[in-house]
Amino acid sequence: MRTRLQLNARIIRFIAFTGWVILPLVVLLITEIEVISRIAFWTAVAKLAWETTKIYGNPKKWIPAYGRYRKRVEEEEARKNHYIYHCERNPQGFARLRAENFEKEDKE
């Protein structure tokens, strides 16, 4: 008797699950197939771009403009770090240089 009740309960739960979850999901998929296909398309394009990057390596290697841009940015960053390093090592010299620059600006 107990197994019969458990079986009936499972059947009722399955019917309820189908009616409240599966059926609306299927209707949504059918009515919104255009939106889902667009999402799938753009997901595939993103995945293709990701895999291309993994295969060919860093874009710096195979996109010339990107490589030049990244090289310029890296050089500027290195120069800034170099200046900051020397300013921290000689704060009195940096203060004198700053004072000289202010005096030049005042004269101009």
Side-chain angles (χ1 to χ4, degrees):
M1 183 81 168
R2 185 175 181 102
T3 57
R4 182 94 171 131
L5 289 174
Q6 286 178 344
L7 180 62
N8 286 343
R10 284 186 183 165
I11 291 172
I12 290 170
R13 275 189 255 146
F14 177 73
I15 292 171
F17 180 74
T18 302
W20 288 102
V21 176
I22 301 294
L23 188 63
L25 185 60
V26 169
V27 170
L28 180 68
L29 287 175
I30 290 171
T31 59
E32 299 295 328
I33 195 74
E34 183 179 337
V35 173
I36 293 170
S37 64
R38 286 182 184 175
I39 292 170
F41 172 75
W42 288 111
T43 303
V45 168
K47 179 69 174 172
L48 178 66
W50 178 260
E51 291 299 324
T52 302
T53 303
K54 282 174 49 178
I55 290 170
Y56 292 109
N58 194 345
K60 189 188 319 183
K61 296 177 182 175
W62 47 274
I63 300 177
Y66 181 78
R68 287 191 300 267
Y69 169 75
R70 289 301 307 157
K71 185 176 180 182
R72 187 174 65 237
V73 168
E74 289 171 1
E75 287 174 354
E76 288 175 10
E77 198 66 32
R79 192 175 323 120
K80 286 178 188 177
N81 289 338
H82 182 73
Y83 291 152
I84 290 170
Y85 170 76
H86 284 288
C87 290
E88 288 174 348
R89 285 195 61 194
N90 188 2
Q92 292 86 13
F94 178 66
R96 283 193 308 265
L97 178 64
R98 192 173 46 200
E100 288 174 11
N101 287 339
F102 286 143
E103 288 174 9
K104 279 185 185 177
E105 288 178 5
D106 287 340
K107 288 179 182 178
E108 290 176 358

